[in-house]
Amino acid sequence: MPKHLYSALSIVLCVMIAAMALVVTRPAAAGAGTGGFDFTRAQVATVGLQVPWGMAFLPDGSALVSERDTATIAQVRPGSLPIQVAMVPNAYPGGEGGLLGIALSPTFAQDQLVYAYISSVSDNRVVRFQLSTPQTQRVILAGIPRGQSRNGGRIAFGPDGMLYVATGDAGYPAYAQSSNLGGKILRITRDGAVPTDNPFSGSPVYSYGHSNVQGLAWDEAGLLYATEFGQNSTDEINYIRPGHNYGWPACEGMCGNPSYTNPLVTWSDSEASPSGLAYANRTLFAAALAGKRLWTVPVSGGNRVGTPVAELRERPGRLRTVAVGPDGWLWVATSNRDGRGTPGPSDDLIIRIPPVGPSGPSTSPSGPSPSPSGPEASPSASPSASSPGGSSPCPTPSPSPSPSPTPSPSVSPSVSPSPGVSPSPNASPSPSPSLSPSPSPSPSPSPSPSPSPSPCPSPSPSPSPTPSPSPSPSPSPSPSTGTRSCEATIRFFLQWTTASWGELTVRNTGTLPITSWTVVFKVPNGLTYLQWNGYNPPGSTVTVTQNGVLLPGDSVTVQFPIGWSGGAVAAPSPITCTAR
């Protein structure tokens, strides 16, 4: 791609990130911070995610982020747009179910295994697969009750090397005290076996009496804490001990019954609805959905030792996931597109908060940071070595010595199907293009260099993607200085031995950049279903709009699940692609 297009991409990304202003809880004095992090210097790391849920870090320091409603996993590097690296089959989004928590194998560098908590047609379950071949799954644990809501879903490997699984009561409170797997925290080996030292012989149950657990975190002493949604009034953080009963549904919040274990801290639902949980510096960090804030709770030895303080109030919106990254920063994901928020044009986001200190960690922050002058301050770019005096933080990209995937400015991996052809069953997919010239979707087992400190990517030239077959262009009105139009193509990968899937490519065929496109098509005969924003039978019309930035000639490709029982599959027709 010509060098000036890379420059344009870098400028577009800088503009998008600079537009995201965060509201801090309060101005802070120099050196002040909550839980060891400086919330006055919070930064937007990336934009354009679709209901991010789980987060896990690769050996190179980038993050894998699961998207609940698209059943995709994106790779995120600060200052770059998300790159779709996998679509997880057999996850059926609906209500609060879909692709939820993810975790990497403790020996990921050797085995490349990713664990995922997914909602199937009939239950919630934990599966594992190699990142490069998500179609080949092994079920680790099945039979967790699934509901329209209250599905739990967080998974994490503990310091003991065991996999902990947080479940919900699926809308049936009695499950929390029953013998099934709902309303529990479970503990299993990485192969799904029951550890011999579990509190109940032969059972994966580690603790019970929970309503809906969505956050797990350990302190430096190996003590486990968990966030828990209440049902009607009270949310909790609990110190989890093996074999303990946490009282639901007999009580919500404090119990006053010695048979049940009381929470460390409680809030009203409107203040919290806590999901993700992280620990650092003797502090728990709980992401609040309805509360639209990040709660910080000082703890020590399983006890609360200070007053909870709320950060990131209101402005970022609903917060789902929080994690401490290998860079030492706090990473927080929003959930404004989950059907209960008010999404902005760049939602969902990942925000990074640096540790307290004059300059933060050795890997410099990516992107602009909010001005500490007050709650309504806009972010201002930090000067870089190449921009003395605080000039533009976006240096002109220069060619890299090593090749990289063809850049593509996809902001949101949740596009929809469009025109297509039906390839042979043994066809293999091509990798999705991306804006950032980061490594290929299958990360190297050995750590790679840290992300660039620049807020803008530094792409290197690479070949342009091959145009997709059977285009169906549909130009849109545009100014006299140029045209805005797009074309869309679908390919189907029909497999007997593993799950089948489809692949959609949208390409900008105009002369101007486009920031939104809508694809409309009918599900073809020959498929049993097409999964996109629910289950679509043959003959039904699918309409999906994607927001992003697509420069002339560039394209973006995404995958989606399909059902196929054999036989020919017709092309999905008619199809339109409308650009704006």
Side-chain angles (χ1 to χ4, degrees), residues 4 15 32 37 80 104 121 144 200 213 218 254-255 257 269 296 305 326 348 353 444 473 478 496 510:
H4 72 274
V15 170
F37 293 94
S80 300
L104 301 187
V121 173
I144 302 167
F200 305 104
V213 177
W218 287 263
M254 304 300 288
C255 286
N257 183 328
D269 291 350
T296 67
V305 295
D348 277 308
I353 301 97
S444 168
S478 59
W496 286 109

Side-chain angles (χ1 to χ4, degrees), residues 233-504:
S233 61
T234 308
D235 298 324
E236 307 171 359
I237 290 182
N238 286 290
Y239 164 39
I240 303 300
R241 282 162 281 184
H244 279 227
N245 184 345
Y246 288 81
W248 176 253
C251 44
E252 184 175 355
M254 304 300 288
C255 286
N257 183 328
S259 299
Y260 305 131
T261 302
N262 281 325
L264 292 184
V265 61
T266 63
W267 296 279
S268 67
D269 291 350
S270 61
E271 292 178 299
S273 298
S275 186
L277 188 67
Y279 175 88
N281 308 318
R282 296 166 61 91
T283 304
L284 292 170
F285 299 87
L289 290 162
K292 298 179 181 178
R293 65 197 75 179
L294 185 73
W295 280 108
T296 67
V297 182
V299 293
S300 178
N303 297 298
R304 179 165 64 88
V305 295
T307 302
V309 174
E311 297 285 0
L312 299 179
R313 284 179 178 268
E314 294 295 335
R315 185 67 172 272
R318 293 167 61 81
L319 304 182
R320 169 75 67 182
T321 298
V322 56
V324 179
D327 54 5
W329 293 51
L330 199 63
W331 295 50
V332 181
T334 68
S335 189
N336 292 319
R337 294 190 178 275
D338 63 6
R340 298 186 180 184
T342 305
S346 296
D347 277 319
D348 277 308
L349 318 173
I350 289 180
I351 301 156
R352 291 166 71 237
I353 301 97
V356 170
S359 59
S362 58
T363 52
S364 301
S366 301
S369 48
S371 166
S373 59
E376 295 296 333
S378 299
S380 59
S382 303
S384 66
S386 60
S387 305
S391 58
S392 170
C394 308
T396 302
S398 58
S400 169
S402 58
S404 61
T406 303
S408 162
S410 163
V411 170
S412 132
S414 69
V415 202
S416 65
S418 61
V421 296
S422 182
S424 61
N426 60 357
S428 58
S430 56
S432 300
S434 64
L435 172 66
S436 168
S438 16
S440 66
S442 297
S444 168
S446 59
S448 58
S450 300
S452 167
S454 168
C456 304
S458 301
S460 57
S462 58
S464 299
T466 304
S468 302
S470 306
S472 295
S474 177
S476 326
S478 59
S480 57
T481 55
T483 59
R484 289 188 175 92
S485 61
C486 60
E487 66 183 19
T489 305
I490 275 191
R491 296 192 297 166
F492 296 125
F493 298 88
L494 310 175
Q495 307 282 344
W496 286 109
T497 57
T498 61
S500 299
W501 74 97
E503 201 172 73
L504 165 74

